[in-house]
Amino acid sequence: MSRPRARERKPAWLRTFIPKTSPLVVTVCDGCGLYVIQDRENVWETWDCGLVEGDDLTVAIILGRPVTRITWLPSVGHPLLRSTCGSAGIMPDGQYLAMHMCHLARISVKPFKPPKRERPPGKPWGGPKLSKQEIAEFKRIWNMPYSQLKHEKTPTNKVGQGDEKQTLF
């Protein structure tokens, strides 16, 4: 049995959307020859390749096309599909895939872009708050060979033990 022949080029965004570790699989539909996404985790379901959101979501609801919600898992780097029951579970700001109906036009062909990781703002480093003597002592110890450093006595005036408050960050 031969594999079905694709009638279109494979969308490039599918490589980042569905990595090899995902339970989702990109394949060619046997009937119409279009690329589809198959969820093979529990019940095998077939979805069109195209992000449904905004006005496209309204079109999918009017046409009665079932949709599934995309939940991006940044920890594993691939999406998880959550089923919706009719209009329950559909939110206007969500991202969805429409169920594949062979020989019918797709609701959308918009590519998926994974969300950017939010990073908390960091505190700017204000530079060293050490005296010139402490910086010179650090440089001296830093540049000392290890064989000589083993025999070095610990100084009684330790760096950062003065009256000023030292913090790491």
Side-chain angles (χ1 to χ4, degrees):
M1 188 165 150
S2 64
R3 295 175 72 187
R5 188 176 178 110
R7 287 187 4 201
E8 64 180 350
R9 292 186 65 160
K10 184 175 182 179
W13 62 272
L14 287 174
R15 287 173 186 53
T16 56
F17 182 63
I18 302 175
K20 294 185 189 236
T21 59
S22 173
L24 303 175
V25 176
V26 177
T27 187
V28 177
C29 176
D30 293 334
C32 61
L34 296 178
Y35 277 99
V36 292
I37 299 170
Q38 286 186 339
D39 186 0
R40 296 183 177 179
E41 192 166 18
N42 295 328
V43 177
W44 285 23
E45 296 175 318
T46 305
W47 306 97
D48 281 332
C49 296
L51 185 65
V52 177
E53 62 182 355
D55 290 341
D56 293 334
L57 185 57
T58 306
V59 171
I61 292 170
I62 291 171
L63 294 175
R65 187 84 62 96
V67 294
T68 185
R69 185 178 181 84
I70 300 170
T71 306
W72 186 257
L73 300 173
S75 59
V76 293
H78 65 76
L80 182 66
L81 300 181
R82 296 281 181 207
S83 60
T84 58
C85 183
S87 61
I90 295 178
M91 293 193 275
D93 62 339
Q95 297 176 323
Y96 301 90
L97 293 176
M99 183 168 274
H100 178 69
M101 302 285 188
C102 212
H103 298 292
L104 292 181
R106 291 182 177 144
I107 301 291
S108 173
V109 290
K110 185 190 295 185
F112 179 83
K113 293 180 184 168
K116 294 184 179 180
R117 291 179 57 189
E118 293 183 22
R119 297 178 186 259
K123 296 179 183 176
W125 184 58
K129 293 184 173 133
L130 301 171
S131 68
K132 290 184 180 183
Q133 177 190 4
E134 290 171 328
I135 292 173
E137 179 67 12
F138 174 81
K139 286 181 181 178
R140 182 186 74 80
I141 293 172
W142 184 265
N143 294 326
M144 187 181 297
Y146 181 71
S147 59
Q148 186 181 352
L149 186 61
K150 289 192 312 188
H151 303 294
E152 182 80 13
K153 292 185 178 181
T154 308
T156 55
N157 182 13
K158 294 182 182 177
V159 174
Q161 295 294 322
D163 55 351
E164 71 277 349
K165 185 178 178 182
Q166 293 290 320
T167 57
L168 290 175
F169 300 104

